Amino acid sequence: MKVDIIGDIHGCFQELHNLTVRLGYDWNTGIPIHPDNRKLAFVGDLTDRGPESIRVINTIFSLIQKDLAYYVPGNHCNKLYRYFLGNKVQVTHGLETTVAEYEALERKEQQKIRRAFMQLYENAPLYRILDNGKLIIAHAGISEELIGKQNSRVKTFVLYGDITGEKHADGSPVRKDWALEYKGPAYIVYGHTPVSEVRKVGNTYNIDTGAVFGGKLSSLRYPEFEIYSVPSSMPFVPEKFRELK
Ligand SMILES: [Mn+2]
């Protein structure tokens, strides 16, 4: 079980390309393939805010088709899925960039990308248990008591984190720092909350280093536990990074 887990991409295709090249993946076939049988894993939030969301979707869809990657959905993936379903969703918080890319496509291309993304999303588990339970990938993480379960509480947790229903002054939801309380034996690798450096707390790794906010795109190499990052080409937005104690 050799896997490279990649943090929130949010349409930053160039950073995905650079990071996978750095990790030794070869793009000759149009998708990143490792000569040493490694697989990629994605913690979700493939799209929104960044410049090339459609290209990221196409790449990850192709990887999954060829059984070369794992993917779990993030909250942005969930919203894009609901948009493609035809549900009324607010085209805000970055979704507007993905929708603009989508609308600029020819109708046939639109159908292709919509079907691909919906298939990708529908086939994805809420979280992925790997290496006989030693490794878990979940977009916003998961608490020990929820591992192995599938219900609406799990769905909320893995997509949005440990939210309480309370809101900050700016309207954003209060997220509890579940990682501080996590004492389980399985390693949990997740993203969702941008931090300036990969944050390891106990057996948990937050690998969302804010690629789309001018930070970097990071990955965790498992089972080696090596961290690789590439710098972002996006403007730096310091207020998007949360420094958690
Ligand atoms: Mn997220």
Coordinates of all heavy atoms in Angstrom, one line a residue, residues 141-233:
G141 N -11.8 15.4 8.0 CA -11.5 14.5 9.1 C -12.6 13.7 9.6 O -13.7 13.7 9.1
I142 N -12.4 12.9 10.7 CA -13.5 12.1 11.3 C -13.1 11.8 12.7 O -11.9 11.7 13.0 CB -13.7 10.8 10.4 CG1 -14.9 10.0 10.9 CG2 -12.4 9.9 10.5 CD1 -15.4 9.0 9.9
S143 N -14.1 11.7 13.6 CA -13.8 11.4 15.0 C -13.7 9.9 15.1 O -14.3 9.2 14.3 CB -14.8 12.0 15.9 OG -16.1 11.5 15.6
E144 N -13.1 9.5 16.2 CA -12.9 8.0 16.3 C -14.2 7.3 16.4 O -14.4 6.2 15.8 CB -12.1 7.8 17.6 CG -11.6 6.3 17.7 CD -10.7 6.1 18.9 OE1 -10.4 7.0 19.7 OE2 -10.2 4.9 19.0
E145 N -15.2 7.9 17.1 CA -16.5 7.2 17.3 C -17.3 7.0 16.0 O -18.2 6.2 15.9 CB -17.3 7.9 18.3 CG -17.4 9.4 18.0 CD -18.6 10.2 18.6 OE1 -19.1 9.7 19.7 OE2 -19.0 11.2 18.0
L146 N -16.9 7.8 15.0 CA -17.7 7.8 13.7 C -17.1 6.8 12.7 O -17.7 6.5 11.7 CB -17.8 9.2 13.1 CG -18.6 10.2 13.9 CD1 -18.7 11.5 13.2 CD2 -20.0 9.7 14.2
I147 N -15.9 6.4 13.0 CA -15.2 5.5 12.0 C -16.0 4.2 11.9 O -16.3 3.6 12.9 CB -13.7 5.2 12.4 CG1 -12.9 6.5 12.4 CG2 -13.1 4.2 11.6 CD1 -11.5 6.4 13.0
G148 N -16.3 3.8 10.7 CA -17.0 2.6 10.4 C -18.5 2.8 10.3 O -19.2 1.9 9.8
K149 N -18.9 4.0 10.6 CA -20.4 4.3 10.5 C -20.7 5.1 9.2 O -19.8 5.7 8.6 CB -20.8 5.2 11.7 CG -20.7 4.4 13.0 CD -21.2 5.3 14.2 CE -21.0 4.5 15.5 NZ -21.0 5.4 16.7
Q150 N -21.9 5.0 8.8 CA -22.4 5.8 7.6 C -23.7 6.4 8.0 O -24.7 5.7 8.0 CB -22.6 4.8 6.4 CG -21.4 4.0 6.0 CD -20.3 4.8 5.3 OE1 -20.6 5.8 4.7 NE2 -19.1 4.3 5.3
N151 N -23.7 7.6 8.3 CA -25.0 8.2 8.6 C -24.9 9.7 8.4 O -23.9 10.2 7.9 CB -25.5 7.9 10.0 CG -24.5 8.3 11.1 OD1 -23.8 9.4 11.0 ND2 -24.3 7.5 12.1
S152 N -26.0 10.5 8.7 CA -26.0 11.9 8.3 C -25.0 12.7 9.2 O -24.4 13.7 8.7 CB -27.4 12.5 8.5 OG -27.8 12.4 9.8
R153 N -24.7 12.2 10.4 CA -23.7 12.9 11.3 C -22.3 12.7 10.7 O -21.5 13.6 10.6 CB -23.8 12.3 12.7 CG -22.7 12.6 13.6 CD -22.9 13.9 14.4 NE -21.7 14.2 15.2 CZ -21.0 15.3 15.0 NH1 -21.3 16.2 14.1 NH2 -19.9 15.6 15.8
V154 N -22.1 11.5 10.2 CA -20.8 11.2 9.5 C -20.6 12.1 8.3 O -19.6 12.7 8.1 CB -20.7 9.7 9.1 CG1 -19.4 9.5 8.3 CG2 -20.7 8.8 10.3
K155 N -21.7 12.2 7.5 CA -21.6 13.0 6.3 C -21.3 14.5 6.6 O -20.5 15.1 6.0 CB -23.0 12.9 5.5 CG -22.9 13.6 4.2 CD -24.2 13.3 3.3 CE -24.1 14.1 2.0 NZ -25.3 13.9 1.2
T156 N -22.0 15.0 7.6 CA -21.7 16.4 8.0 C -20.3 16.6 8.5 O -19.6 17.5 8.1 CB -22.7 16.8 9.1 OG1 -24.0 16.7 8.6 CG2 -22.5 18.3 9.6
F157 N -19.8 15.6 9.3 CA -18.5 15.7 9.8 C -17.4 15.7 8.7 O -16.5 16.5 8.7 CB -18.3 14.6 10.9 CG -17.1 14.8 11.8 CD1 -17.4 15.0 13.2 CD2 -15.8 14.9 11.4 CE1 -16.3 15.2 14.1 CE2 -14.8 15.2 12.3 CZ -15.0 15.3 13.6
V158 N -17.5 14.7 7.9 CA -16.5 14.5 6.9 C -16.5 15.6 5.8 O -15.4 16.0 5.3 CB -16.5 13.1 6.2 CG1 -16.3 12.0 7.1 CG2 -17.7 12.9 5.3
L159 N -17.6 16.2 5.6 CA -17.7 17.3 4.6 C -17.4 18.7 5.2 O -16.7 19.5 4.6 CB -19.1 17.4 4.0 CG -19.5 16.3 3.0 CD1 -20.9 16.6 2.5 CD2 -18.5 16.1 1.9
Y160 N -17.8 18.9 6.4 CA -17.7 20.3 7.0 C -16.9 20.4 8.3 O -16.6 21.5 8.8 CB -19.1 20.9 7.3 CG -20.0 20.9 6.1 CD1 -21.0 19.9 5.9 CD2 -19.9 21.9 5.2 CE1 -21.8 19.9 4.8 CE2 -20.7 21.9 4.0 CZ -21.6 20.9 3.8 OH -22.4 20.9 2.7
G161 N -16.5 19.2 8.8 CA -15.8 19.2 10.1 C -16.7 19.1 11.3 O -17.9 18.9 11.1
D162 N -16.2 19.3 12.4 CA -16.9 19.2 13.7 C -17.6 20.5 13.9 O -17.2 21.3 14.8 CB -16.0 18.8 14.8 CG -16.7 18.3 16.0 OD1 -17.9 18.2 16.0 OD2 -16.0 18.0 17.0
I163 N -18.7 20.8 13.2 CA -19.4 22.1 13.3 C -20.5 22.0 14.4 O -21.1 20.9 14.5 CB -19.9 22.6 12.0 CG1 -20.8 21.6 11.3 CG2 -18.8 23.0 11.1 CD1 -21.5 22.1 10.0
T164 N -20.7 23.1 15.0 CA -21.6 23.0 16.2 C -22.9 23.7 15.9 O -23.9 23.6 16.6 CB -21.0 23.8 17.3 OG1 -20.7 25.2 16.9 CG2 -19.7 23.2 17.8
G165 N -23.0 24.4 14.7 CA -24.2 25.2 14.4 C -24.0 26.6 14.7 O -24.7 27.5 14.2
E166 N -23.0 26.9 15.6 CA -22.7 28.3 15.9 C -21.9 29.0 14.7 O -21.3 28.3 13.9 CB -21.8 28.4 17.1 CG -22.3 27.9 18.4 CD -21.2 27.7 19.4 OE1 -20.9 28.7 20.1 OE2 -20.7 26.6 19.5
K167 N -21.9 30.3 14.7 CA -21.2 31.0 13.6 C -20.3 32.1 14.2 O -20.6 32.6 15.2 CB -22.2 31.7 12.7 CG -23.2 30.7 12.1 CD -23.5 31.1 10.6 CE -24.2 29.8 10.0 NZ -24.6 30.1 8.6
H168 N -19.2 32.3 13.5 CA -18.3 33.4 13.8 C -18.9 34.7 13.4 O -19.9 34.7 12.7 CB -17.0 33.2 13.0 CG -16.1 32.1 13.5 ND1 -15.5 32.0 14.7 CD2 -15.8 30.9 12.9 CE1 -14.8 30.9 14.8 NE2 -15.0 30.2 13.7
A169 N -18.3 35.8 13.9 CA -18.8 37.1 13.5 C -19.0 37.3 12.0 O -19.9 38.0 11.5 CB -17.9 38.2 14.1
D170 N -18.1 36.7 11.2 CA -18.1 36.9 9.8 C -19.1 36.0 9.1 O -19.2 35.9 7.9 CB -16.7 36.7 9.2 CG -16.2 35.3 9.3 OD1 -16.9 34.4 9.9 OD2 -15.1 35.0 8.7
G171 N -19.9 35.2 9.9 CA -20.9 34.3 9.3 C -20.4 32.9 9.0 O -21.2 32.0 8.7
S172 N -19.1 32.7 9.1 CA -18.6 31.3 8.9 C -18.8 30.4 10.1 O -18.9 30.9 11.2 CB -17.1 31.4 8.6 OG -16.4 31.9 9.7
P173 N -19.1 29.1 9.8 CA -19.4 28.2 10.9 C -18.2 28.0 11.9 O -17.1 27.9 11.4 CB -19.8 26.9 10.2 CG -19.3 27.0 8.8 CD -19.1 28.5 8.5
V174 N -18.5 27.8 13.1 CA -17.5 27.5 14.1 C -17.1 26.0 13.9 O -18.0 25.1 13.9 CB -18.0 27.7 15.6 CG1 -17.0 27.2 16.6 CG2 -18.3 29.2 15.8
R175 N -15.8 25.8 13.7 CA -15.4 24.4 13.6 C -14.6 24.0 14.8 O -13.6 24.6 15.2 CB -14.4 24.3 12.4 CG -15.0 24.5 11.1 CD -14.0 24.4 10.0 NE -14.5 24.9 8.7 CZ -13.8 25.2 7.6 NH1 -12.5 25.0 7.7 NH2 -14.4 25.6 6.5
K176 N -15.0 23.0 15.5 CA -14.2 22.5 16.7 C -13.0 21.8 16.2 O -12.9 21.2 15.1 CB -15.1 21.6 17.5 CG -16.1 22.3 18.4 CD -17.0 21.4 19.1 CE -16.3 20.5 20.2 NZ -17.3 19.5 20.7
D177 N -11.9 21.9 17.0 CA -10.6 21.3 16.6 C -10.6 19.8 17.0 O -10.0 19.5 18.0 CB -9.5 22.1 17.2 CG -8.2 21.8 16.6 OD1 -8.1 21.0 15.7 OD2 -7.2 22.4 17.0
W178 N -11.3 19.0 16.2 CA -11.5 17.6 16.6 C -10.2 16.8 16.7 O -10.1 15.9 17.5 CB -12.4 16.9 15.6 CG -11.7 16.8 14.2 CD1 -11.8 17.8 13.3 CD2 -10.9 15.8 13.7 NE1 -11.0 17.5 12.2 CE2 -10.4 16.2 12.5 CE3 -10.4 14.6 14.2 CZ2 -9.6 15.5 11.7 CZ3 -9.5 13.8 13.4 CH2 -9.1 14.3 12.2
A179 N -9.2 17.3 16.0 CA -7.9 16.6 15.9 C -7.2 16.5 17.3 O -6.6 15.5 17.7 CB -6.9 17.2 14.9
L180 N -7.4 17.6 18.1 CA -6.9 17.6 19.5 C -7.4 16.5 20.4 O -6.7 16.0 21.3 CB -7.1 19.0 20.1 CG -6.4 20.2 19.5 CD1 -6.9 21.4 20.2 CD2 -4.9 20.0 19.7
E181 N -8.6 16.1 20.1 CA -9.3 15.1 20.9 C -9.1 13.7 20.3 O -9.4 12.7 21.0 CB -10.8 15.4 21.1 CG -11.0 16.4 22.1 CD -12.2 17.3 21.7 OE1 -13.3 16.8 21.4 OE2 -12.0 18.5 21.7
Y182 N -8.6 13.6 19.1 CA -8.6 12.3 18.4 C -7.4 11.4 19.0 O -6.3 11.8 19.1 CB -8.3 12.4 16.9 CG -8.2 11.1 16.2 CD1 -9.3 10.3 15.9 CD2 -7.0 10.6 15.9 CE1 -9.2 9.1 15.3 CE2 -6.8 9.3 15.3 CZ -8.0 8.6 15.0 OH -7.9 7.4 14.3
K183 N -7.8 10.2 19.6 CA -6.8 9.4 20.2 C -6.7 8.0 19.5 O -6.2 7.1 20.1 CB -7.2 9.2 21.7 CG -7.2 10.5 22.5 CD -5.8 11.0 22.8 CE -5.9 12.3 23.6 NZ -5.6 13.5 22.9
G184 N -7.4 7.9 18.4 CA -7.5 6.5 17.7 C -6.1 6.1 17.2 O -5.2 6.8 17.0
P185 N -6.1 4.7 16.9 CA -4.8 4.2 16.4 C -4.6 4.4 14.9 O -3.5 4.5 14.4 CB -5.0 2.7 16.6 CG -6.5 2.5 16.7 CD -7.1 3.7 17.2
A186 N -5.7 4.7 14.1 CA -5.6 4.9 12.7 C -5.1 6.3 12.4 O -5.5 7.3 13.1 CB -7.0 4.7 12.0
Y187 N -4.3 6.4 11.4 CA -3.9 7.8 10.9 C -5.0 8.4 10.1 O -5.6 7.7 9.3 CB -2.6 7.7 10.0 CG -1.4 7.2 10.8 CD1 -1.0 5.9 10.8 CD2 -0.7 8.1 11.5 CE1 0.1 5.5 11.5 CE2 0.4 7.8 12.3 CZ 0.8 6.4 12.3 OH 1.9 6.0 13.0
I188 N -5.3 9.6 10.4 CA -6.4 10.3 9.7 C -5.7 11.5 8.9 O -5.0 12.3 9.5 CB -7.4 11.0 10.7 CG1 -7.8 10.1 11.8 CG2 -8.6 11.6 9.9 CD1 -8.9 9.1 11.4
V189 N -5.9 11.4 7.6 CA -5.3 12.4 6.7 C -6.5 13.2 6.1 O -7.4 12.6 5.5 CB -4.4 11.8 5.6 CG1 -3.8 12.9 4.8 CG2 -3.4 10.9 6.3
Y190 N -6.5 14.5 6.2 CA -7.6 15.4 5.8 C -7.1 16.7 5.4 O -5.9 17.0 5.4 CB -8.6 15.5 7.0 CG -8.1 16.3 8.2 CD1 -8.5 17.6 8.4 CD2 -7.1 15.8 9.1 CE1 -8.1 18.3 9.5 CE2 -6.6 16.5 10.1 CZ -7.1 17.8 10.3 OH -6.6 18.5 11.4
G191 N -8.1 17.6 5.0 CA -7.8 18.9 4.5 C -8.8 19.9 5.1 O -9.1 19.9 6.3
H192 N -9.4 20.7 4.2 CA -10.6 21.5 4.5 C -10.3 22.8 5.2 O -10.8 23.8 4.9 CB -11.6 20.7 5.4 CG -12.9 21.4 5.6 ND1 -13.7 21.9 4.5 CD2 -13.6 21.8 6.7 CE1 -14.8 22.5 5.0 NE2 -14.7 22.4 6.4
T193 N -9.4 22.8 6.2 CA -9.1 24.0 6.9 C -7.6 24.4 6.6 O -6.7 23.8 7.0 CB -9.2 23.8 8.4 OG1 -10.5 23.4 8.7 CG2 -8.9 25.1 9.2
P194 N -7.5 25.5 5.8 CA -6.1 25.9 5.4 C -5.2 26.2 6.5 O -5.6 27.0 7.4 CB -6.3 27.1 4.4 CG -7.7 27.0 4.0 CD -8.5 26.4 5.2
V195 N -4.0 25.7 6.5 CA -3.0 26.0 7.5 C -1.7 26.3 6.8 O -1.5 25.8 5.6 CB -2.8 24.8 8.5 CG1 -3.9 24.7 9.6 CG2 -2.7 23.5 7.8
S196 N -0.8 27.0 7.4 CA 0.4 27.4 6.6 C 1.4 26.3 6.4 O 2.1 26.3 5.4 CB 1.0 28.7 7.2 OG 1.3 28.4 8.5
E197 N 1.4 25.4 7.4 CA 2.3 24.2 7.2 C 1.4 23.0 7.5 O 0.5 23.0 8.3 CB 3.4 24.2 8.2 CG 4.4 25.4 8.1 CD 5.2 25.4 6.8 OE1 5.4 24.3 6.3 OE2 5.6 26.5 6.3
V198 N 1.8 21.8 6.9 CA 1.1 20.6 7.3 C 1.1 20.4 8.8 O 2.1 20.6 9.4 CB 1.7 19.4 6.6 CG1 1.2 18.1 7.1 CG2 1.5 19.4 5.1
R199 N -0.1 20.2 9.3 CA -0.3 20.1 10.8 C -0.5 18.7 11.2 O -1.5 18.1 11.0 CB -1.4 21.0 11.1 CG -1.8 21.0 12.6 CD -3.0 22.0 12.8 NE -3.3 22.1 14.2 CZ -4.5 21.6 14.7 NH1 -5.2 20.8 14.0 NH2 -4.7 21.8 16.0
K200 N 0.5 18.2 12.0 CA 0.3 16.9 12.6 C 0.0 17.0 14.0 O 0.7 17.7 14.8 CB 1.7 16.1 12.4 CG 1.6 14.7 13.1 CD 3.0 14.0 13.0 CE 2.9 12.6 13.4 NZ 2.2 12.2 14.6
V201 N -1.1 16.4 14.4 CA -1.5 16.4 15.8 C -1.8 14.9 16.1 O -2.8 14.4 15.6 CB -2.8 17.3 16.1 CG1 -3.2 17.1 17.5 CG2 -2.5 18.7 15.8
G202 N -1.0 14.3 17.0 CA -1.2 12.9 17.3 C -1.1 12.1 16.0 O -0.2 12.3 15.2
N203 N -2.1 11.3 15.7 CA -2.1 10.5 14.4 C -2.9 11.2 13.3 O -3.3 10.6 12.3 CB -2.8 9.2 14.7 CG -1.8 8.2 15.4 OD1 -0.6 8.5 15.5 ND2 -2.3 7.2 16.0
T204 N -3.1 12.5 13.4 CA -3.9 13.2 12.4 C -2.9 14.2 11.6 O -2.0 14.8 12.2 CB -5.0 14.1 13.0 OG1 -4.5 15.2 13.6 CG2 -5.8 13.2 13.9
Y205 N -3.2 14.3 10.3 CA -2.4 15.2 9.4 C -3.4 16.1 8.6 O -4.2 15.6 7.8 CB -1.6 14.4 8.4 CG -0.4 13.7 9.0 CD1 -0.5 12.5 9.6 CD2 0.9 14.3 8.9 CE1 0.6 11.8 10.1 CE2 2.0 13.6 9.3 CZ 1.8 12.4 10.0 OH 2.9 11.7 10.4
N206 N -3.4 17.4 8.9 CA -4.1 18.3 8.0 C -3.1 18.7 6.9 O -2.1 19.4 7.1 CB -4.5 19.5 8.8 CG -5.3 20.6 7.9 OD1 -5.4 20.4 6.7 ND2 -5.8 21.6 8.6
I207 N -3.4 18.3 5.7 CA -2.5 18.6 4.5 C -3.1 19.7 3.6 O -2.6 19.9 2.5 CB -2.2 17.3 3.7 CG1 -3.5 16.7 3.2 CG2 -1.4 16.3 4.6 CD1 -3.2 15.6 2.1
D208 N -4.1 20.4 4.1 CA -4.6 21.6 3.3 C -3.7 22.8 3.6 O -4.0 23.5 4.6 CB -6.1 21.9 3.5 CG -6.5 23.1 2.7 OD1 -5.8 23.5 1.8 OD2 -7.7 23.5 2.9
T209 N -2.7 23.1 2.8 CA -1.9 24.2 3.0 C -2.3 25.4 2.1 O -1.4 26.2 1.7 CB -0.4 23.9 2.9 OG1 -0.2 23.1 1.7 CG2 0.0 23.0 4.1
G210 N -3.5 25.5 1.8 CA -4.1 26.7 1.1 C -3.5 26.9 -0.3 O -3.1 28.1 -0.6
A211 N -3.4 25.9 -1.2 CA -2.9 26.1 -2.5 C -3.6 27.3 -3.2 O -3.0 28.1 -3.9 CB -3.0 24.8 -3.3
V212 N -4.9 27.3 -3.0 CA -5.7 28.3 -3.8 C -5.7 29.7 -3.1 O -6.1 30.7 -3.7 CB -7.2 27.9 -4.0 CG1 -8.0 28.1 -2.7 CG2 -7.8 28.5 -5.2
F213 N -5.1 29.8 -1.9 CA -5.0 31.1 -1.2 C -3.5 31.5 -1.2 O -3.1 32.3 -0.3 CB -5.5 31.0 0.2 CG -7.0 30.7 0.2 CD1 -7.5 29.5 0.9 CD2 -7.9 31.5 -0.4 CE1 -8.8 29.2 0.9 CE2 -9.3 31.2 -0.4 CZ -9.7 30.1 0.3
G214 N -2.7 31.0 -2.2 CA -1.3 31.5 -2.3 C -0.4 30.8 -1.3 O 0.8 31.3 -1.1
G215 N -0.8 29.7 -0.7 CA 0.1 28.9 0.2 C 0.9 27.9 -0.6 O 1.7 28.3 -1.5
K216 N 0.6 26.7 -0.4 CA 1.2 25.6 -1.2 C 0.3 24.4 -1.3 O -0.6 24.3 -0.5 CB 2.6 25.2 -0.6 CG 2.6 25.1 0.9 CD 4.0 25.1 1.4 CE 4.0 24.9 2.9 NZ 5.4 25.0 3.5
L217 N 0.6 23.6 -2.3 CA -0.2 22.3 -2.4 C 0.7 21.3 -1.8 O 1.9 21.2 -2.2 CB -0.5 22.0 -3.9 CG -1.3 20.7 -4.1 CD1 -2.7 20.9 -3.4 CD2 -1.4 20.4 -5.5
S218 N 0.2 20.5 -0.8 CA 1.0 19.6 -0.1 C 0.5 18.2 -0.2 O -0.7 17.9 -0.5 CB 1.0 20.0 1.4 OG 1.7 21.2 1.6
S219 N 1.3 17.2 0.1 CA 1.0 15.8 0.0 C 1.7 15.1 1.2 O 2.7 15.5 1.7 CB 1.4 15.2 -1.3 OG 2.8 15.3 -1.4
L220 N 1.1 14.0 1.6 CA 1.7 13.1 2.6 C 2.0 11.8 1.9 O 1.1 11.2 1.3 CB 0.8 12.9 3.8 CG 1.4 11.9 4.8 CD1 2.5 12.6 5.6 CD2 0.3 11.5 5.8
R221 N 3.2 11.3 1.9 CA 3.6 10.1 1.3 C 3.5 9.0 2.4 O 4.1 9.1 3.4 CB 5.0 10.2 0.8 CG 5.6 8.9 0.2 CD 6.7 9.2 -0.8 NE 6.1 9.4 -2.1 CZ 6.8 9.5 -3.2 NH1 8.1 9.5 -3.2 NH2 6.2 9.6 -4.4
Y222 N 2.7 8.0 2.1 CA 2.4 6.9 3.0 C 2.8 5.6 2.4 O 2.6 5.4 1.3 CB 0.9 6.9 3.3 CG 0.4 5.8 4.3 CD1 0.3 6.1 5.6 CD2 0.2 4.5 3.8 CE1 -0.1 5.1 6.5 CE2 -0.2 3.5 4.7 CZ -0.3 3.8 6.1 OH -0.7 2.8 6.9
P223 N 3.5 4.7 3.2 CA 3.7 4.8 4.6 C 5.0 5.5 5.1 O 5.4 5.3 6.2 CB 3.8 3.3 5.0 CG 4.4 2.6 3.8 CD 4.0 3.5 2.6
E224 N 5.6 6.2 4.2 CA 6.9 6.8 4.6 C 6.7 8.0 5.5 O 7.6 8.4 6.2 CB 7.6 7.3 3.3 CG 8.1 6.1 2.4 CD 7.0 5.7 1.4 OE1 5.9 6.1 1.5 OE2 7.4 5.0 0.4
F225 N 5.5 8.6 5.5 CA 5.2 9.8 6.2 C 6.1 11.0 5.9 O 6.6 11.7 6.7 CB 5.2 9.5 7.7 CG 4.1 8.6 8.2 CD1 4.3 7.3 8.3 CD2 2.8 9.1 8.3 CE1 3.2 6.4 8.7 CE2 1.7 8.3 8.7 CZ 1.9 7.0 8.8
E226 N 6.4 11.1 4.6 CA 7.1 12.3 4.1 C 6.2 13.3 3.5 O 5.2 12.9 2.8 CB 8.1 11.8 3.0 CG 9.2 10.9 3.5 CD 9.9 10.1 2.4 OE1 9.5 10.3 1.2 OE2 10.8 9.3 2.7
I227 N 6.5 14.5 3.8 CA 5.7 15.6 3.3 C 6.3 16.3 2.1 O 7.5 16.6 2.2 CB 5.4 16.6 4.4 CG1 4.4 16.0 5.5 CG2 4.7 17.9 3.9 CD1 4.5 16.6 6.8
Y228 N 5.6 16.5 1.0 CA 6.1 17.2 -0.1 C 5.1 18.4 -0.4 O 3.9 18.2 -0.3 CB 6.2 16.3 -1.4 CG 7.2 15.2 -1.3 CD1 6.9 14.0 -0.6 CD2 8.4 15.3 -1.9 CE1 7.8 13.0 -0.5 CE2 9.3 14.3 -1.9 CZ 9.0 13.1 -1.2 OH 9.9 12.1 -1.1
S229 N 5.7 19.5 -0.8 CA 4.8 20.6 -1.1 C 5.4 21.4 -2.3 O 6.6 21.3 -2.6 CB 4.8 21.6 0.0 OG 4.4 21.1 1.2
V230 N 4.5 22.0 -3.1 CA 5.0 23.0 -4.1 C 4.3 24.3 -3.9 O 3.2 24.4 -3.4 CB 4.7 22.5 -5.5 CG1 5.5 21.2 -5.9 CG2 3.2 22.2 -5.7
P231 N 5.0 25.4 -4.2 CA 4.4 26.7 -4.0 C 3.2 27.0 -4.9 O 3.1 26.4 -6.0 CB 5.6 27.7 -4.3 CG 6.5 26.9 -5.1 CD 6.4 25.5 -4.8
S232 N 2.3 27.8 -4.4 CA 1.1 28.2 -5.2 C 1.5 29.4 -6.1 O 2.3 30.2 -5.7 CB 0.1 28.6 -4.2 OG -1.0 29.3 -4.9
S233 N 0.8 29.4 -7.2 CA 0.9 30.6 -8.1 C -0.2 31.6 -7.9 O -0.2 32.6 -8.5 CB 0.9 30.1 -9.6 OG -0.4 29.5 -9.8

